[in-house]
Amino acid sequence: MFAPWADPAARPLVRFDGVSKRFGTATAVERVSLDIFSGEFFALLGPSGCGKTTLLRLLAGLEMPDDGRILLDGAELTTVPPYRRPINLMFQSYALFPHLTVEGNVAFGLKQEALPKAEIASRVDEMLALVRLEGFAKRKPQHLSGGQRQRVALARSLIKRPRVLLLDEPLAALDKKLRSETQFELMQLQESLGLTFVIVTHDQQEAMTVAGRIAVMDHGRLVQVATPQEIYERPTSRWVADFIGEINLIEGSVTEVGRSGTVVASAAGRLRALSPADVTAGDVVWVALRPEKVRIALEPPPVEGENCVAGQVADIGYLGDLSIYKVRLDNGIIMKTAVANVTRLVERPINWDDRVWLTWSSEAAMVLTR
Amino acid sequence: MSKLEAQRSWGERLILLVPYLWLAAFFLVPFLIVLKISLSHTAVAQPPYTPVFDVAAGWSGVIRALSTLSLENYALLGSDSLYLASYIKSLEIAAGSTLLLLLIGFPIAYGMARAPRRWQPVVFVLVVLPFWTSFLIRIYAWINILQRDGLLNQLLLALRIVDEPPAWLSTDTAVYLGIVYSYLPFMVLPIYATLEKMDETLLEAAADLGCPNWKAFWLVTLPLSRPGMVAGALLCFIPIVGEFVIPDLLGSSQTMMIGQTLWAEFFANRDWPVASAVAVVLLCLLVMPIVIYEQVQTRDLARGG
Ligand SMILES: Nc1ncnc2c1ncn2[C@@H]1O[C@H](COP(=O)(O)OP(=O)(O)OP(=O)(O)O)[C@@H](O)[C@H]1O
Ligand SMILES: [Mg+2]
């Protein structure tokens, strides 16, 4: 499996080393240290204004860091001007040249290298074929649809075969269907060309779909860098757990740390969950539980031992593939559970105000200390 | 079509009519009058030409008047080299000073657009500030500066750049100076407007694609500011061709610009028909650059689509 980040001997392609960037008094990027490896599809994920674009612009050379260093292949990159970096950026706004045709836009980067005309022409054709824009070479960007413009921007930033391709919310302007198609195209492209992609997005589903690793950012800091599975199943903080997907959080205090898991005393009763090694009895913690890992039933479970709470159905949301039940526990806590609609809905077996029992295994829940 | 839509479209049509009415009343009608006078004959009368439409004689009077019109004044323009020299001189000065204006105006506009945001209103006011003073006073000030013992020569003598004070007034240099000085805002403002709304990420994109800043200026900034340059050039070139005050006050009386010739025909010679013919030809000359520009634009549009 491709996982160079797990290999201590692997050399990173890009290294951020304690990089900070301030605009006036506001800190956009704060002491970011991050390694990105060759061949990775890496995603930067975070809420609006958390510094994702700034981090990309630092790497592209369009901003200078106030602190720290950026290395490419172990060599100092901070002092290299943007036009000499083997890194290309696909801009959030595409930034296509309005006075040039599609062809002129795509060829722009190669023309700066003073390559022979014939080579430029053949590589432009090749690139236009790759993004399926062969018939549009002579058009101006103003006369293209949003999706076509986005492909021109992609072609323009790919044609120089950059060591790292930076994509700033490349798919934000596309509708849902086109976006998911393009996500797969991007993944195929990245794999077949063997390039390193860094994509910025604030759409967590997009990050999970395309990326091999995700860096979750908040207020200019990296909060967690890991694979999508790990971020989803083992978030390191309540903030990450809440930002990625849906989560039930129940506050409590640790009463017992044992081999079979940790016992947490909470308003919902004694809950058993997996926990990090460093909790001790008395710690204030949160039990985190994904809705789809909770089972819902109209009868109490026959066997004791699992986590079980009872409550009343407060709300039902039908999403087509899933139904979301919001259950008000006897102590007032609201818990969400998601149930896959595997059979066609003829008659909903669980209804508003029904008394229900929620159960989950102790492996399904996590204990978070932050 | 619903009643409301019909009403609205009538309202829209009415609004669209306004500029046409304006053009008809203040451009087309005067132009037709001038055209008619240019085809008439000089006469010692009031007004100083014949024929005059005799409205009292009815339709036949109009027909009679029209039948006496002739092209003789245009023939005169062709035969006397004075007029041709005048036209050429005007076009030459207009072209030369428009070029100078571009060369001086572009860097100013560029500097303005690149100035920090909070300084831009200040710089903008500085550029239009001369308009606060009467145009004539500013030209008279130039006469003062350019006189034989004026400020300019005093400075040149003091700096020992010249030994003898050169004559500046009544030269083409003075005319160029006056024109460039007076028209500069008309060149700077349209260029500034295009530069100011240019998307700066385009320059970042150019840099990202391997283009150093100076090259990005040639490949991105300059082509994108073309509409502003064309607008500025038209805005300057056309009135400069017909310029009267500046060459009259600062220039020589050797070769006159067409505006001066026109003035002489009207007021010195009281030859309204010839003066009108001069004006009609001038108008045709001035319409040309606009037509060419329109052509270029439609071609560009066609190529883009
Ligand atoms: N040129 C600038 N001048 C001043 N502040 C800036 C500048 N660029 C970014 N910032 C600030 O830095 C912070 C991070 O901005 P950045 O554009 O990196 O956010 P982002 O994560 O890309 O957000 P979004 O998802 O909305 O694109 C924001 O608070 C923003 O206001
Ligand atoms: Mg952004």
Side-chain angles (χ1 to χ4, degrees):
Chain A
M1 213 189 92
F2 178 75
W5 51 86
D7 175 7
R11 258 171 45 116
L13 176 62
V14 174
R15 164 163 279 176
F16 285 90
D17 187 4
V19 173
S20 295
K21 175 69 190 176
R22 286 175 286 275
F23 293 107
T25 53
T27 306
V29 167
E30 197 170 356
R31 272 177 283 134
V32 164
S33 293
L34 175 66
D35 286 347
I36 298 172
F37 295 86
S38 184
E40 260 200 275
F41 201 138
F42 193 91
L44 292 170
L45 181 63
S48 187
C50 69
K52 307 178 297 285
T53 298
T54 308
L55 201 60
L56 275 203
R57 289 171 58 85
L58 284 164
L59 189 47
L62 300 173
E63 304 286 359
M64 281 289 135
D66 293 316
D67 278 318
R69 297 187 312 158
I70 302 172
L71 306 176
L72 181 75
D73 262 340
E76 180 73 53
L77 193 63
T78 326
T79 52
V80 180
Y83 51 88
R84 289 227 195 82
R85 298 191 184 193
I87 294 174
N88 286 132
L89 169 62
M90 180 179 161
F91 286 78
Q92 190 163 358
S93 57
Y94 305 153
L96 297 177
F97 302 119
H99 60 297
L100 298 179
T101 58
V102 166
E103 201 173 43
N105 268 283
V106 176
F108 193 92
L110 291 184
K111 283 192 179 150
Q112 308 316 314
E113 292 175 7
L115 293 176
K117 267 212 166 67
E119 188 184 342
I120 293 181
S122 76
R123 273 174 71 176
V124 167
D125 287 346
E126 197 180 301
M127 200 35 89
L128 288 179
L130 190 70
V131 297
R132 291 181 281 128
L133 281 175
E134 295 100 327
F136 299 90
K138 303 285 182 224
R139 287 235 194 139
K140 290 269 178 75
Q142 304 87 288
H143 303 285
L144 296 177
S145 75
Q148 290 164 339
R149 271 180 228 180
Q150 172 254 324
R151 295 214 291 274
V152 177
L154 180 64
R156 187 180 72 174
S157 50
L158 262 179
I159 198 162
K160 295 189 80 170
R161 297 174 191 153
R163 299 293 307 279
V164 187
L165 178 67
L166 311 174
L167 306 130
D168 194 354
E169 310 216 6
L171 314 181
L174 305 185
D175 63 61
K176 198 160 182 276
K177 198 159 159 57
L178 192 56
R179 182 156 19 152
S180 63
E181 272 174 33
T182 319
Q183 283 167 2
F184 282 100
E185 280 173 23
L186 276 182
M187 288 163 73
Q188 276 174 357
L189 209 64
Q190 188 261 346
E191 210 159 308
S192 61
L193 299 178
L195 292 176
T196 308
F197 279 19
V198 180
I199 190 172
V200 158
T201 173
H202 57 237
D203 176 349
Q204 47 126 339
Q205 244 173 18
E206 182 166 295
M208 309 268 277
T209 311
V210 297
R213 262 194 323 155
I214 298 175
V216 184
M217 288 184 78
D218 184 32
H219 287 98
R221 295 167 184 266
L222 295 181
V223 262
Q224 189 172 3
V225 183
T227 60
Q229 294 87 339
E230 194 155 343
I231 287 192
Y232 189 76
E233 301 293 354
R234 268 195 289 279
T236 52
S237 67
R238 279 179 295 150
W239 191 87
V240 174
D242 197 32
F243 185 69
I244 310 280
E246 295 280 328
I247 195 95
N248 293 301
L249 286 168
I250 304 165
E251 193 176 344
S253 69
V254 177
T255 56
E256 203 183 310
V257 185
R259 256 185 300 131
S260 58
T262 304
V263 179
V264 176
S266 75
R270 283 163 59 83
L271 304 175
R272 217 173 255 284
L274 294 179
S275 74
D278 57 350
V279 289
T280 48
D283 286 355
V284 175
V285 294
W286 290 266
V287 174
L289 186 61
R290 298 283 181 200
E292 75 277 5
K293 296 191 168 63
V294 181
R295 286 186 299 275
I296 186 167
L298 288 163
E299 307 285 325
V303 280
E304 275 292 314
E306 278 203 317
N307 297 295
C308 177
V309 292
Q312 204 171 24
V313 176
D315 197 8
I316 305 176
Y318 177 67
L319 302 184
D321 49 351
L322 291 177
S323 287
I324 308 284
Y325 298 91
K326 281 190 185 162
V327 178
R328 188 186 309 280
L329 304 188
D330 297 341
N331 48 48
I333 297 176
I334 301 270
M335 272 188 78
K336 271 181 278 188
T337 140
V339 178
N341 295 323
V342 283
T343 52
R344 249 187 89 195
L345 181 84
V346 184
E347 177 193 3
R348 231 189 327 246
I350 298 174
N351 241 316
W352 273 272
D353 298 332
D354 281 351
R355 183 146 183 88
V356 291
W357 280 263
L358 303 178
T359 55
W360 63 91
S361 71
S362 53
E363 293 90 60
M366 309 161 272
V367 171
L368 300 177
T369 55
R370 285 185 287 147
Chain B
M1 196 162 43
S2 75
K3 200 174 164 206
L4 189 77
E5 268 173 44
Q7 276 172 351
R8 195 177 49 205
S9 74
W10 267 109
E12 277 170 11
R13 265 178 246 179
L14 223 81
I15 288 174
L16 283 180
L17 213 60
V18 171
Y20 289 106
L21 285 176
W22 179 275
L23 277 178
F26 297 106
F27 177 76
L28 195 62
V29 171
F31 174 74
L32 288 177
I33 293 174
V34 170
L35 186 67
K36 191 261 149 199
I37 298 177
S38 76
L39 299 169
S40 311
H41 314 278
T42 330
V44 186
Q46 192 63 259
Y49 56 85
T50 56
V52 181
F53 286 126
D54 186 359
V55 186
W59 192 235
S60 62
V62 173
I63 301 281
R64 197 162 353 107
L66 282 178
S67 64
T68 60
L69 295 181
S70 79
L71 285 168
E72 60 176 15
N73 298 314
Y74 292 93
L76 177 72
L77 292 195
S79 63
D80 191 338
S81 67
L82 169 94
Y83 299 105
L84 187 66
S86 215
Y87 280 119
I88 290 177
K89 175 93 174 175
S90 290
L91 291 177
E92 187 188 299
I93 289 193
S97 43
T98 302
L99 194 69
L100 280 173
L101 280 162
L102 266 174
L103 292 177
I104 298 168
F106 192 93
I108 295 177
Y110 188 76
M112 278 171 75
R114 280 299 143 99
R117 280 269 152 214
R118 61 207 167 85
W119 284 108
Q120 289 199 1
V122 178
V123 187
F124 188 86
V125 167
L126 284 180
V127 169
V128 291
L129 200 62
F131 289 126
W132 263 251
T133 314
S134 150
F135 168 69
L136 271 181
I137 291 179
R138 284 181 286 135
I139 295 300
Y140 279 118
W142 274 110
I143 295 180
N144 253 301
I145 294 170
L146 297 177
Q147 272 166 359
R148 190 163 285 273
D149 55 353
L151 283 175
L152 178 63
N153 277 344
Q154 285 178 25
L155 186 75
L156 291 178
L157 286 171
L159 293 176
R160 301 194 186 285
I161 293 171
V162 292
D163 298 326
E164 274 294 299
W168 295 105
L169 277 181
S170 304
T171 62
D172 280 357
T173 316
V175 176
Y176 277 114
L177 199 76
I179 288 177
V180 168
Y181 163 76
S182 310
Y183 282 87
L184 199 56
F186 297 107
M187 183 60 89
V188 170
L189 294 182
I191 299 179
Y192 167 72
T194 50
L195 285 176
E196 204 259 344
K197 65 170 193 259
M198 198 183 101
D199 183 3
E200 292 217 13
T201 54
L202 293 178
L203 295 177
E204 292 183 340
D208 184 69
L209 292 166
C211 190
N213 296 351
W214 63 267
K215 216 171 157 196
F217 175 82
W218 285 106
L219 295 179
V220 179
T221 310
L222 215 52
L224 284 179
S225 56
R226 203 184 71 167
M229 292 196 278
V230 171
L234 285 178
L235 225 49
C236 291
F237 183 83
I238 291 169
I240 293 173
V241 173
E243 184 58 57
F244 167 73
V245 176
I246 297 173
D248 209 54
L249 293 179
L250 300 179
S252 76
S253 45
Q254 298 283 309
T255 17
M256 296 197 287
M257 282 180 73
I258 200 67
Q260 296 166 279
T261 310
L262 198 67
W263 191 90
E265 292 296 351
F266 253 114
F267 297 103
N269 301 349
R270 254 182 93 72
D271 191 341
W272 286 25
V274 168
S276 300
V278 169
V280 170
V281 171
L282 178 62
L283 187 87
C284 295
L285 279 178
L286 292 183
V287 164
M288 244 166 16
I290 299 178
V291 171
I292 293 173
Y293 176 62
E294 288 287 317
Q295 290 274 311
V296 170
Q297 273 212 320
T298 32
R299 199 194 58 207
D300 275 8
L301 272 183
R303 247 199 328 210

